[in-house]
Amino acid sequence: MSAAAPSDAFFDALETRDPADREAQLFAALRLQLSHAKAHTAAYADLLAGVEPAEVGDRAALARLPVIRKSELAARQLALREGQGSAIDGAHEPHEALGGFSAIGWRGCLRSAGAGRVFQSPGGLYEPEGRAPDYWRVARALFAAGLRAGDLVHNSFSYHLTPAGAMMEGGAHALGCTVFPGGVGNTELQMQAMRDLRPQAYVGTPSFLKILLDKAAESGLRLDSLQRALLSGEAFPNSLRDWLAERGVAGYQCYATADLGLVAYETAAREGLVLAEGIIVEIVRPGGSEPVAEGEVGELVVTTLNPDYPLIRFGTGDLSAILPGTCPTGRSNQRIRGWLGRADQSAKVRGMFIHASQLAELQRRFPQASRARLVVEGEMAQDRLTLKLELPEAVPREGLSEQLAAALRDITKLRAEVELLPPGSLPNDGRVIEDARKLD
């Protein structure tokens, strides 16, 4: 997506759109994306059968569509690779290795030149990369981190198997930067390159940047050309941000995945991460599909408008929450708190697994509960379960504990005590299964 930049403060004019205009434009594009996905991918022809794209005009309608999680994506890819899935129409050739979710394959067609690369994530999950410039839309995050045309960027993300290195390189090239493809490891050689080439910026994990700077200091090397960094792939605590600042490096973080590309990025305001343009983000109940209230911690679900790989309501498995208001920098999109943990929680109790999706089903049956948490206590083989639910005072309590216990037993085949709590009693941390057992 490109638009004339209104000033050097913003990557383009999309960042300062009126929020209502952005919402209307996103959903107009979404209706086209739904039609495209149904017509050109085998997976969405199946998943969206019976869905009329023209009727998906707002978030309430979007929330009625199924959430696709990484486990299902991987299962469909495996099934098609092993010949267990439905036949794929060779006219648009979404390759079997990609589970029928990709609208491009290896060969070109009238609509597309085909994938430029294909990557592998842990667990044997494959993702295509189309041929559009800045395919992963990372240039926006690099710009917010202070990178500009003419900068030399030292890229220490992997260039093999996973797309992280290519993601950052594509964004840097879109800005007009030069890239040194350092990749991972080879610390001494990377330090030598930084000393010799004097890059202005670094992209990679925060921990590896700290290793480089520590080792350079031990060796007496000066890396004083380095002023900016865009960091991702792991936690970036404030203590490390301050440590880098003391050494003259302004570090910013972004949240991106191999499936979706850029999702959110940090700005100079340092108040959460601003959502990327060209995607629709929802926060849903962990293990479920229903959006939670603004500010509540839940699973980050993303819909992309990428025609090559049209993931619709893709569950990232990561926890986050929407922050109120907008960024003080003037960017008008929503913000998230950042990565707050994993949503795909589970515990093994009395020989059976309990999953977050089962707690989500319980709350679907009892929507009057605002938050729920199943606490597992005691010692191994002597487990004690307590279902804790927050309920507004106006909700009648008579017989409700027994109904909840019966519903939980129906869903999980396990018995639990029920504790009804007033709103605000449970932490707003997205945790729905708490394993508090003693392991020794």
Side-chain angles (χ1 to χ4, degrees), residues 3-16 143 148 329-331:
S7 73
D8 191 54
F10 305 109
F11 178 70
D12 59 27
L14 297 176
E15 294 183 351
T16 56
F143 186 92
R148 296 294 183 269
T329 63
R331 292 171 174 86

Side-chain angles (χ1 to χ4, degrees), residues 268-285:
R270 306 287 191 181
E271 295 184 12
L273 305 183
V274 177
L275 294 182
E277 303 294 332
I279 59 173
I280 300 173
V281 168
E282 303 167 273
I283 305 292
V284 308
R285 184 170 293 135

Side-chain angles (χ1 to χ4, degrees), residues 8-28:
D8 191 54
F10 305 109
F11 178 70
D12 59 27
L14 297 176
E15 294 183 351
T16 56
R17 282 182 289 179
D18 179 84
D21 290 343
R22 176 184 290 108
E23 190 82 348
Q25 291 161 12
L26 284 175
F27 276 87

Side-chain angles (χ1 to χ4, degrees), residues 290-357:
E290 304 85 3
V292 298
E294 182 180 286
E296 286 290 306
V297 175
E299 182 180 4
L300 194 71
V301 169
V302 181
T303 296
T304 74
L305 301 177
N306 174 6
D308 294 341
Y309 197 39
L311 294 177
I312 297 158
R313 298 204 84 202
F314 182 75
T316 63
D318 291 327
L319 293 173
S320 194
I322 297 292
L323 286 171
T326 56
C327 183
T329 63
R331 292 171 174 86
S332 59
N333 210 345
Q334 291 179 302
R335 297 170 298 160
I336 58 173
R337 285 175 55 188
W339 185 83
L340 300 177
R342 291 293 295 171
D344 47 357
Q345 305 158 41
S346 63
K348 193 172 186 180
V349 180
R350 302 168 199 164
M352 302 180 68
F353 277 102
I354 301 174
H355 299 281
S357 58

